Amino acid sequence: MHLPTGMPSTTRFNEMNFENLIANATQGSVQAIAQLATLASDHACLPSQYERMIKVAYLLLDAMHIPYFEDPSVDDVEAPCAALTFIGSTFFIWISDDKMASGLIADLLSHWGDIRRWILYVYEEFIQAESFAINTRRDCKTAVVTFLALTRDRMLSGWSKKVVTDTKIMPLIFALWNLETTDARFSSHTGQFNAYRESVVLNSCFLISHETKSPIDWDKALLPFDGRPETASRIALMHLSQEMARQYLDPECIAWDVHIVTALSFRDDMRWALLNLGAIVKITHVIPPHPNLTYAARCISNASLFLRIRMQENDGIPWMSEAIRSDLIKGLLKSERYLPFMDNDKARDALSDILHMIIPAYTAYRSLLLPIAKAVDEIIDLGLDKQLDKHGKLYAGWACLQETTERRKLLNYDGPEKVHVQTCHNDNCRKTVPTGTLKRCGGCLHTYYCSKSCQRYDWRRGKHKAYCTRVQERSAWSLGEMNGISNRDLRFLDCVIEDELKKHRARIANHGLNINVIELDLTHGEPNITFDSRGVNPSPFKLLCRCEHYANDNWKRLRQHVARTNEPVVLVRAFIPGGISRKAVLRAIPLFQVLGRPPVQGSRVYATYVYTCCGRPGQEANNSPLRNFAS
């Protein structure tokens, strides 16, 4: 089976030629159908002529002609496949004509039932059938994909909704995508831009599902993958890797693939599979430039939007580490020339947000500061920072990252004068000992006790049960992906907090207060600090969920406890980046330590508590309208 490409576009058809073509096409001549497609794409074609052509295509796709009870023969599907190709390659041209659009769309909808049955027949009896020659199977697949690529046209959203909610067509689309990925013989890559690819069909279906709130039946859609979400996730990354490895890149397809990965990541089961399969690394590698400015900008914008959301999954540290080691920062700086070609502000801002707000915030963790500092030094050695527009957002982000990194590189958390402590969370105990001494709760991974009896008491009477249960629910819906903070990172966090306080030593000293209450937000790159010793605004950075209200109750009790000691103290509530939701560190630090004065022997006001969150604030990203097609 071979579908001709038609006649040269310069050919002009007189009326007699046209009537002959119509007659021959009606009899199933593949050559005549291809020639009609050429005429339909030519500016010399009349609307009345196209209306006759499309009627012939519908006639050939009448379901009455499907030979269900006969042995499949190539002759039976040549003309219907040519008709599918004709419609898919010409229809979008003519619905742009306001006078013809409504009639053409209505006819498509009325004939969709028959076309749908032909598509299913061609797929089941030919594309899947290994008894036919590979050229026949590939041509059949190309015809089906060319027709289904009409889903990308927004004027056909009414029809596209039917495709998205169809419990047989959507699995077929996934199956064709899977086939192209796993069998190189079915690749639709041509070495140049090709709008008729499986990726464009699948991507368009996701967009239609999102925009029209039309749900995909995922139980049916995953049938080509034996119902296994992790298999679909692996295919998505495999397809992206294949496109990235080609000698002649198709940046538009790469952009579609990145969006497909993003769409799938709104399902909890697929998100964790994608991340565990290395999605962060693969998407990061999309960031470096490509020759075609417009399509490259689309690739980079889709990749940056994915990374902005997904780098902070779980507690952020594992995926952030992967991205940094995959040269994310270098890729971001090289992307500046593509910013003008991005089609929306959200995409442009995602690049600078990653550089200005997200990466600098995670330098509060020693385990991430080291690889980030190494990446920053490499960029300076290469002189990439010198190429940035000093008035642009990327340069502002780079300046923030460089300044934050350089300052925190100088912090020494292991000096003999350093005091790092943890406090038992049992209010009736409050035993404070060197960091690493206490036992950690195995449920929430952030609460510490000096003994089992203290843990039992806090569970039964101290409200830890409700808090810990919520946090463990997060572990369940994130498929167990939740981590605590290492002792080394906890000690370094002490230094980061104290370093921020040192910037305000003069102000703290001038206040002359016995209890200095300070709120510190380290979650957005540049630290934000609020002094509120008089309690005018006790929650300047708001409390985002019940977990933070629980931590706030303990914050109030800590203030009461410190007041009874009658020692000069600085009370700090610091919010630190925590992936899908921020974490809170509550610290009581003797005033002499903050002001750099000689220590007071036997000070009793040291205390440190750490709280995580159930992750509900971070679920805003996963409760995006996109979740309508991926839940």
Side-chain angles (χ1 to χ4, degrees):
M1 174 180 173
H2 180 65
L3 302 180
T5 57
M7 298 173 63
S9 60
T10 55
T11 301
R12 292 296 179 263
F13 295 79
N14 59 37
E15 190 63 27
M16 183 176 295
N17 286 338
F18 178 71
E19 292 299 332
N20 288 335
L21 285 174
I22 288 291
N24 291 335
T26 303
Q27 296 301 314
S29 168
V30 174
Q31 181 71 36
I33 297 169
Q35 291 176 348
L36 288 177
T38 300
L39 173 59
S41 304
D42 194 290
H43 68 272
C45 184
L46 301 175
S48 59
Q49 290 177 320
Y50 186 73
E51 288 174 342
R52 292 187 64 189
M53 296 180 205
I54 201 75
K55 286 180 180 178
V56 172
Y58 289 145
L59 177 65
L60 295 171
L61 290 167
D62 189 325
M64 294 290 291
H65 301 149
I66 300 177
Y68 283 121
F69 304 108
E70 302 175 13
D71 291 335
S73 168
V74 174
D75 293 340
D76 295 331
V77 294
E78 281 188 328
C81 282
L84 288 172
T85 302
F86 171 84
I87 298 173
S89 60
T90 64
F91 201 78
F92 68 94
I93 300 172
W94 289 91
I95 60 173
S96 62
D97 185 326
D98 293 339
K99 295 179 181 179
M100 297 186 65
S102 60
L104 288 174
I105 294 171
D107 283 347
L108 176 65
L109 289 170
S110 66
H111 289 92
W112 168 236
D114 284 350
I115 297 172
R116 173 183 179 275
R117 279 185 272 180
W118 265 110
I119 288 174
L120 292 172
Y121 175 77
V122 169
Y123 172 70
E124 293 166 2
E125 299 295 336
F126 290 86
I127 299 175
Q128 281 191 309
E130 296 187 4
S131 57
F132 287 103
I134 187 63
N135 288 344
T136 296
R137 298 170 64 197
R138 186 169 53 237
D139 286 344
C140 287
K141 187 212 72 161
T142 299
V144 170
V145 171
T146 300
F147 177 83
L148 290 174
L150 287 173
T151 51
R152 73 186 188 276
D153 198 308
R154 291 297 173 266
M155 293 187 67
L156 295 175
S157 60
W159 166 73
S160 298
K161 286 172 61 177
K162 294 179 178 292
V163 173
V164 167
T165 56
D166 194 307
T167 57
K168 290 190 176 180
I169 294 297
M170 275 307 296
L172 179 148
I173 291 171
F174 273 101
L176 293 177
W177 178 62
N178 181 38
L179 182 64
E180 188 210 17
T181 308
T182 56
D183 190 337
R185 298 175 300 169
F186 290 93
S187 173
S188 55
H189 179 77
T190 61
Q192 56 188 355
F193 171 70
N194 178 10
Y196 307 111
R197 301 196 62 179
E198 291 79 358
S199 291
V200 72
V201 177
L202 187 57
N203 180 63
S204 298
C205 288
F206 284 160
L207 289 173
I208 288 294
S209 177
H210 163 49
E211 292 169 1
T212 64
K213 295 181 171 57
S214 303
I216 291 174
D217 186 332
W218 280 95
D219 288 338
K220 296 290 195 301
L222 291 175
L223 288 176
F225 312 103
D226 297 324
R228 297 170 63 86
E230 61 273 20
T231 304
S233 302
R234 183 176 291 106
I235 293 299
L237 295 177
M238 186 186 301
H239 197 285
L240 174 61
S241 296
Q242 290 172 357
E243 293 300 318
M244 290 290 294
R246 298 192 189 279
Q247 182 179 359
Y248 301 103
L249 297 179
D250 182 351
E252 182 101 354
C253 187
I254 293 172
W256 295 328
D257 280 352
V258 172
H259 190 269
I260 288 169
V261 171
T262 303
L264 295 177
S265 74
F266 283 93
R267 281 181 57 98
D268 289 341
D269 48 9
M270 288 192 182
R271 179 166 63 257
W272 296 112
L274 287 166
L275 292 172
N276 288 325
L277 289 167
I280 294 294
V281 173
K282 287 182 172 62
I283 300 293
T284 301
H285 288 160
V286 173
I287 295 288
H290 304 285
N292 186 305
L293 292 175
T294 302
Y295 292 141
R298 191 172 300 172
C299 291
I300 294 169
S301 62
N302 283 2
S304 60
L305 287 169
F306 174 85
L307 291 170
R308 195 194 188 295
I309 299 172
R310 299 305 174 208
M311 273 199 311
Q312 296 192 85
E313 286 295 339
N314 188 13
D315 293 284
I317 293 179
W319 318 122
M320 185 70 64
S321 179
E322 284 191 3
I324 298 302
R325 289 183 168 87
S326 300
D327 287 335
L328 171 62
I329 302 174
K330 191 183 301 181
L332 292 172
L333 267 61
K334 288 182 177 180
S335 299
E336 185 175 52
R337 63 184 293 223
Y338 298 92
L339 291 178
F341 298 90
M342 294 183 180
D343 52 12
N344 63 78
D345 291 336
K346 185 178 291 186
R348 281 187 286 271
D349 290 343
L351 288 167
S352 56
D353 285 351
I354 293 171
L355 203 57
H356 198 161
M357 301 174 63
I358 298 177
I359 300 177
Y362 280 86
T363 61
Y365 294 95
R366 176 76 176 177
S367 55
L368 276 175
L369 172 65
L370 297 178
I372 291 173
K374 180 180 178 182
V376 167
D377 290 341
E378 288 178 357
I379 287 168
I380 294 173
D381 291 341
L382 293 171
L384 294 179
D385 54 323
K386 304 297 183 185
Q387 301 172 22
L388 293 174
D389 175 8
K390 293 189 177 180
H391 302 289
K393 288 187 175 181
L394 277 184
Y395 182 82
W398 164 254
C400 174
L401 174 61
Q402 183 185 11
E403 179 183 348
T404 304
T405 303
E406 293 299 330
R407 183 178 180 92
R408 290 179 179 169
K409 276 169 56 178
L410 301 175
L411 299 181
N412 178 18
Y413 66 93
D414 276 337
E417 77 285 358
K418 299 297 181 181
V419 178
H420 304 288
V421 299
Q422 288 173 312
T423 304
C424 178
H425 276 65
N426 178 3
D427 277 343
N428 286 347
C429 176
R430 293 186 181 276
K431 183 178 181 180
T432 298
V433 295
T435 298
T437 305
L438 300 179
K439 301 295 184 182
R440 185 172 65 182
C441 172
C444 67
L445 303 180
H446 287 73
T447 303
Y448 292 83
Y449 298 99
C450 61
S451 66
K452 288 186 177 180
S453 60
C454 280
Q455 184 179 19
R456 283 194 294 268
Y457 181 90
D458 199 33
W459 181 265
R460 296 169 181 171
R461 302 186 186 182
K463 299 183 180 179
H464 181 67
K465 180 178 181 179
Y467 164 76
C468 191
T469 302
R470 287 195 300 274
V471 174
Q472 290 185 64
E473 288 174 358
R474 165 185 166 183
S475 181
W477 54 251
S478 64
L479 306 184
E481 296 290 343
M482 190 177 71
N483 300 306
I485 304 176
S486 70
N487 289 327
R488 179 173 294 179
D489 278 346
L490 285 173
R491 289 193 290 268
F492 187 70
L493 275 169
D494 290 344
C495 295
V496 170
I497 292 170
E498 291 176 25
D499 182 60
E500 294 301 326
L501 295 178
K502 286 178 183 177
K503 299 176 185 178
H504 304 276
R505 274 181 173 175
R507 181 174 180 179
I508 296 171
N510 289 335
H511 282 171
L513 299 172
N514 211 43
I515 299 179
N516 298 268
V517 180
I518 297 173
E519 301 268 7
L520 186 60
D521 186 359
L522 300 173
T523 63
H524 294 102
E526 296 180 3
N528 190 359
I529 192 166
T530 298
F531 293 80
D532 194 29
S533 299
R534 293 178 175 82
V536 176
N537 185 11
S539 298
F541 305 121
K542 299 181 181 179
L543 301 178
L544 301 182
C545 70
R546 286 189 295 170
C547 298
E548 292 193 356
H549 281 280
Y550 168 74
N552 187 58
D553 290 340
N554 290 343
W555 169 245
K556 292 176 182 177
R557 288 194 291 273
L558 178 60
R559 293 179 66 169
Q560 294 169 356
H561 170 73
V562 168
R564 290 193 294 269
T565 66
N566 202 33
E567 285 188 41
V569 65
V570 176
L571 280 179
V572 184
R573 173 159 56 183
F575 292 105
I576 59 175
I580 56 176
S581 57
R582 63 191 184 184
K583 302 176 189 287
V585 178
L586 313 183
R587 290 197 63 197
I589 312 171
L591 182 61
F592 67 80
Q593 186 167 322
V594 174
L595 298 181
R597 295 173 179 172
V600 175
Q601 297 299 322
S603 175
R604 295 180 294 118
V605 297
Y606 284 107
T608 301
Y609 299 90
V610 181
Y611 297 90
T612 188
C613 176
C614 62
R616 296 308 169 196
Q619 279 298 308
E620 292 173 0
N622 295 325
N623 289 330
S624 154
L626 282 171
R627 197 168 175 81
N628 288 314
F629 65 69
S631 60

